[in-house]
Amino acid sequence: MPYAKVSTGVEIYFERIGTGYPIILIMGTGLDHSCWDNQIVEYRKHFECIVFDNRSTGKTRAPESTLSSKLMAEDTAAFMDIIGIQSAHISGLSLGSTIAQELAIMRPDLVKTLQLHGTWAKAYGYVERKFKSQIRLLKELDLREFYEINSLWFMTPDYMNLYPEKVSSQIESIIKSAPSRHMLIEQYKADLNHDALDRLEKINVPTLVTVGSFDLAAPPMYAEEVAGAISNSKLVIFSEGGHFHNIENPEEFNKVTLDFLDRYT
């Protein structure tokens, strides 16, 4: 299995698929690289797709520690350095989007373009209460019970009604690759404590911000705030999309993101 032992003390599991200019795909809280599968099937025709599991998630090995989006961006930068990627398109979903923000601010040399999906610049108001509620639930429930509730924030009612078997399968897959309870709480604390609002103006690369209009995990107002703070950005709102709009409507997601990438490759 391909692992990269990076300077931050993490052994990162990764996969490289396809050929072309590299795109690094960074997944969200507690989720492994497989949540990008619907994108890779199309992206690989045009790009070298590089996916990996964040620290303590999936197959990546890491010591237990206090987490932050900045620390996980340092992991990503060290990973890119060690596998020889000097610059890439960077795409992140949810927690992955906050990691991508920090990476673009910290190491702009590594970022050709930036995509931020289901994102926020600072956890306040609704998302602050939601993250705190998720942490409280994790302290009380086992992982299966937690994810049965958690899925209500991430998937739309229409998707759940139309594809109940897919939803059950996705929950099972998430449970199998999830971090320990302690480290999952740490990832949610990283979500909660992320604050790049006053630093987003430092991002100058072309940036695509997307959000589902029915995103109950990070509603559109937060994506709009991010797009408003980055001068060279474009905001796309997916009608009736949820937090996992890349999974629920991959055809539309792939078209929008590939159109964006084609302009800068």
Side-chain angles (χ1 to χ4, degrees), residues 212-232:
S213 66
F214 200 84
D215 189 337
L216 298 181
M221 62 175 285
Y222 296 95
E224 291 166 358
E225 185 172 55
V226 169
I230 299 173
S231 58
N232 190 10

Side-chain angles (χ1 to χ4, degrees), residues 20-62:
Y21 197 87
I23 179 168
I24 306 280
L25 302 166
I26 312 173
M27 194 29 75
T29 312
L31 303 173
D32 74 358
H33 65 279
S34 68
C35 293
W36 291 114
D37 284 355
N38 287 331
Q39 282 61 66
I40 290 171
V41 69
E42 292 299 325
Y43 288 4
R44 67 183 300 171
K45 300 173 185 177
H46 313 275
F47 302 96
E48 180 187 25
C49 303
I50 302 173
V51 292
F52 66 96
D53 294 339
N54 287 316
R55 63 163 64 208
S56 303
T57 304
K59 297 175 182 176
T60 288
R61 299 187 284 257

Side-chain angles (χ1 to χ4, degrees), residues 54-247:
N54 287 316
R55 63 163 64 208
S56 303
T57 304
K59 297 175 182 176
T60 288
R61 299 187 284 257
E64 291 196 348
S65 61
T66 300
L67 298 187
S68 68
S69 53
K70 184 177 180 182
L71 174 62
M72 297 171 85
E74 290 171 356
D75 289 342
T76 306
F79 166 65
M80 292 177 69
D81 286 340
I82 204 167
I83 67 170
I85 302 296
Q86 296 180 344
S87 177
H89 299 294
I90 304 295
S91 179
L93 178 98
S94 196
L95 173 60
S97 77
T98 69
I99 295 168
Q101 290 173 29
E102 294 289 357
L103 180 67
I105 294 167
M106 177 195 313
R107 289 285 305 275
D109 58 301
L110 294 175
V111 183
K112 182 175 178 66
T113 67
L114 185 63
Q115 294 182 48
L116 307 171
H117 309 294
T119 195
W120 62 96
K122 180 178 181 178
Y124 63 91
Y126 176 91
V127 294
E128 179 185 15
R129 289 178 176 274
K130 181 188 70 74
F131 288 138
K132 288 181 177 179
S133 296
Q134 287 167 309
I135 290 168
R136 285 197 296 271
L137 287 171
L138 270 169
K139 290 179 178 178
E140 298 295 330
L141 304 176
D142 65 33
L143 282 183
R144 182 173 302 281
E145 292 172 322
F146 171 75
Y147 277 113
E148 286 290 344
I149 295 172
N150 213 35
S151 64
L152 302 176
W153 279 301
F154 296 123
M155 302 176 190
T156 62
D158 282 349
Y159 184 78
M160 288 187 159
N161 290 340
L162 288 170
Y163 306 108
E165 293 182 359
K166 279 188 180 180
V167 171
S168 296
S169 176
Q170 286 160 354
I171 290 173
E172 288 298 324
S173 179
I174 290 169
I175 291 169
K176 288 179 182 177
S177 65
S180 67
R181 182 193 305 268
H182 173 72
M183 292 311 297
L184 188 53
I185 289 172
E186 281 298 322
Q187 288 198 15
Y188 275 109
K189 287 180 179 178
D191 289 325
L192 178 63
N193 295 325
H194 175 69
D195 184 359
L197 185 57
D198 295 336
R199 296 177 289 125
L200 290 181
E201 63 183 13
K202 296 179 180 180
I203 298 175
N204 296 312
V205 297
T207 301
L208 174 66
V209 180
T210 78
V211 65
S213 66
F214 200 84
D215 189 337
L216 298 181
M221 62 175 285
Y222 296 95
E224 291 166 358
E225 185 172 55
V226 169
I230 299 173
S231 58
N232 190 10
S233 68
K234 176 184 179 181
L235 173 67
V236 175
I237 298 176
F238 287 78
S239 178
E240 302 305 316
H243 195 56
F244 287 166
H245 49 293
N246 69 311
I247 293 176

